[in-house]
């Protein structure tokens, strides 16, 4: 796959329109489906195309989607707005891209030092997370579906080695989510760029460091052509969730079997995507190492400084937004259980097999 095939972003939004009736021809329905990501990108792109293909197959062509790559129909960070406004009936993104609407959405994407992908799905399914997510989105006329995760991400690519906390001060870094807010407290100039802008900004020197996802996608985007130091794991994204988001009115207007197909296709895409990231991240890491990339963990003093910075960021958001505090309470309740189980069982399992 060539990077130029998917690093395209004509970031011109289509004009907002009222939600039109489904385009029906001979009993068939076609909906617009914009994604925040390059549709041909591995992982994030195949997540939406896998979902669309499964819906078409399971419905025997009764419900199909026209997938628009990030920037083709609406800007990459404007997918949820487009679905809310009816410019598109359904979309594909990650919840924290809309965190300006409600900061609690970070919990449904990624939280620093938070849950892994498996733990997140456990919380959503059994710990009350999905109900909280549904309630927040219903206020905007939206219906969310979890559609997979990148798993543990990389903390970022750097042109020079990070040997101490002092090496971060003053850097311009592309970093997403609450991790970016924490980094600012350490003196980093954190900026959030849409995916297609990461490589050219890194290459031109507009940014000094960049986090995107992990070895598979970072390699596809060419970040290793700019820097040779990659730090893992990501303190800020121990997992990062993807979503299918549907206009609630349009969804409720579908017959029950098509609603069920959307839900089941999102779940099937989540399993496939999480597995794809796990497999190809391992393959890509080996290839990158063979080609001179150095992988390492952040120094102890960086992690030691990040932990209170993250705690401060979470407290500030909880104080400013009651809904953030409500979701955090649910999230942290299961996180404490999950951490204990992971320490006693999972960590020991990994240690035994080394």
């Amino acid at each position: 796959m060539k990077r130029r095939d998917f690093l395209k972003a004509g970031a011109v939004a289509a004009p907002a329109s009222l939600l039109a009736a489904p385009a029906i021809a001979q009993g068939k329905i076609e909906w617009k489906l914009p994604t925040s990501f390059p549709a041909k990108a591995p992982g994030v792109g195949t997540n939406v195309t896998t979902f669309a293909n499964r819906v078409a197959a399971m419905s025997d062509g009764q419900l199909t989607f026209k997938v628009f790559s990030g920037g083709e129909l609406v800007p990459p960070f404007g997918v949820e707005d487009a679905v809310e406004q009816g410019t598109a009936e359904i979309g594909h993104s990650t919840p924290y891209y809309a965190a300006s609407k409600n900061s609690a959405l970070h919990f449904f994407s990624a939280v620093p030092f938070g849950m892994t992908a498996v733990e997140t799905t456990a919380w959503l399914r059994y710990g009350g997370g999905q109900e909280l997510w549904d309630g927040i989105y219903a206020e905007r006329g939206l219906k969310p579906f979890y559609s997979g995760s990148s798993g543990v991400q990389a903390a970022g690519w750097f042109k020079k080695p990070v040997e101490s906390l002092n090496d971060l001060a003053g850097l311009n870094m592309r970093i997403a989510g609450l991790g970016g807010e924490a980094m600012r407290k350490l003196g980093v100039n954190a900026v959030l760029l849409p995916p297609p802008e990461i490589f050219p900004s890194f290459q031109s020197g507009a940014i000094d460091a960049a986090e995107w996802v992990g070895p598979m996608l970072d390699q596809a985007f060419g970040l290793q052509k700019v820097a040779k130091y990659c730090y893992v794991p990501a303190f800020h994204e121990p997992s990062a969730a993807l979503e299918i988001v549907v206009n609630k009115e349009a969804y409720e207007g579908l017959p029950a079997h098509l609603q069920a197909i959307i839900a089941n296709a999102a779940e099937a895409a989540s399993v496939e995507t999480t597995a794809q990231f796990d497999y190809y991240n391992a393959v890509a890491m080996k290839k990158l190492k063979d080609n001179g990339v150095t992988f390492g963990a952040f120094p102890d003093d960086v992690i030691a400084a990040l932990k209170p910075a993250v705690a401060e960021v979470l407290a500030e958001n909880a104080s400013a937004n009651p809904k953030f505090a409500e979701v955090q309470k649910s999230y942290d309740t299961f996180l404490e259980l999950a951490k204990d189980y992971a320490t006693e069982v999972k960590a020991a399992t990994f240690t035994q097999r080394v």
Side-chain angles (χ1 to χ4, degrees):
M1 182 179 301
K2 296 180 179 178
R3 181 168 52 83
R4 65 172 176 270
D5 290 338
F6 58 84
L7 291 183
K8 297 176 180 177
V12 179
S17 64
L18 294 176
L19 182 67
I24 301 177
Q26 298 179 345
K28 297 184 183 299
I29 303 168
E30 183 183 64
W31 280 358
K32 301 182 201 69
L33 198 174
T35 174
S36 293
F37 311 104
K40 292 183 179 180
V44 290
T46 52
N47 183 251
V48 67
T49 54
T50 291
F51 167 77
N53 291 338
R54 285 184 180 275
V55 170
M58 285 193 283
S59 69
D60 196 23
Q62 185 181 2
L63 177 61
T64 58
F65 305 121
K66 181 174 175 56
V67 175
F68 294 89
S69 193
E72 284 187 339
L73 182 67
V74 296
F77 295 155
V79 169
E80 285 194 7
D81 284 341
V83 177
E84 179 182 358
Q85 295 161 7
T87 303
E89 298 88 350
I90 188 169
H92 174 257
S93 189
T94 183
Y96 67 7
Y97 279 3
S100 61
K101 305 289 183 183
N102 190 325
S103 59
L105 297 187
H106 285 289
F107 290 100
F108 306 104
S109 285
V111 176
F113 303 117
M115 294 185 197
T116 64
V118 173
E119 291 164 351
T120 298
T121 57
W123 172 64
L124 288 172
R125 180 69 65 87
Y126 299 110
Q130 186 67 51
E131 291 79 6
L132 289 165
W133 196 10
D134 285 341
I136 292 171
Y137 274 42
E139 295 175 1
R140 295 169 57 204
L142 301 173
K143 171 67 178 172
F145 295 91
Y146 174 81
S147 67
S149 173
S150 63
V152 182
Q153 294 202 2
W157 292 76
F158 295 80
K159 297 175 183 178
K160 297 179 180 179
V162 178
E163 297 176 341
S164 72
L165 183 59
N166 292 334
D167 293 325
L168 294 177
L171 289 182
N172 295 315
M173 182 178 183
R174 189 275 180 191
I175 181 170
L178 297 174
E181 294 182 34
M183 277 291 199
R184 289 189 189 100
K185 293 183 180 296
L186 303 189
V188 174
N189 178 29
V191 295
L192 179 58
L193 299 172
E197 295 181 22
I198 298 173
F199 176 79
S201 297
F202 201 18
Q203 186 181 47
S204 70
I207 55 175
D208 306 303
E211 68 82 29
W212 170 214
V213 180
M216 176 179 72
L217 262 174
D218 294 355
Q219 176 181 257
F221 273 59
L223 301 190
Q224 75 282 2
K225 297 178 181 178
V226 182
K228 293 297 182 183
Y229 298 95
C230 183
Y231 287 84
V232 292
F235 77 95
H236 63 299
E237 290 176 331
S239 68
L242 297 167
E243 67 174 356
I244 295 294
V245 57
V246 193
N247 182 285
K248 200 167 186 291
E249 182 182 348
Y251 178 76
E252 292 174 349
L254 291 174
H257 73 285
L258 292 182
Q259 292 180 4
I261 284 173
I262 287 176
N264 281 276
E267 186 168 9
S270 77
V271 174
E272 182 169 329
T273 297
T274 302
Q276 181 188 21
F277 270 106
D278 233 38
Y279 183 85
Y280 286 105
N281 273 334
V283 172
M285 176 176 273
K286 183 181 185 308
K287 182 178 179 181
L288 288 166
K289 285 181 176 179
D290 290 345
N291 284 277
V293 172
T294 298
F295 286 87
F298 275 150
D300 291 344
D301 66 334
V302 171
I303 299 300
L306 281 168
K307 287 188 175 180
V310 167
E312 188 176 342
V313 166
L314 293 174
E316 289 169 353
N317 278 274
S319 177
N321 180 7
K323 185 59 70 172
F324 186 100
E326 179 187 358
V327 178
Q328 183 181 14
K329 182 178 180 181
S330 172
Y331 185 96
D332 285 350
T333 297
F334 181 63
L335 177 60
E336 287 307 307
L337 293 173
K339 285 196 298 188
D340 187 53
Y341 181 74
T343 300
E344 296 294 329
V345 180
K346 294 180 181 179
T349 301
F350 292 134
T351 300
Q352 286 175 1
R353 78 182 190 190
V354 172

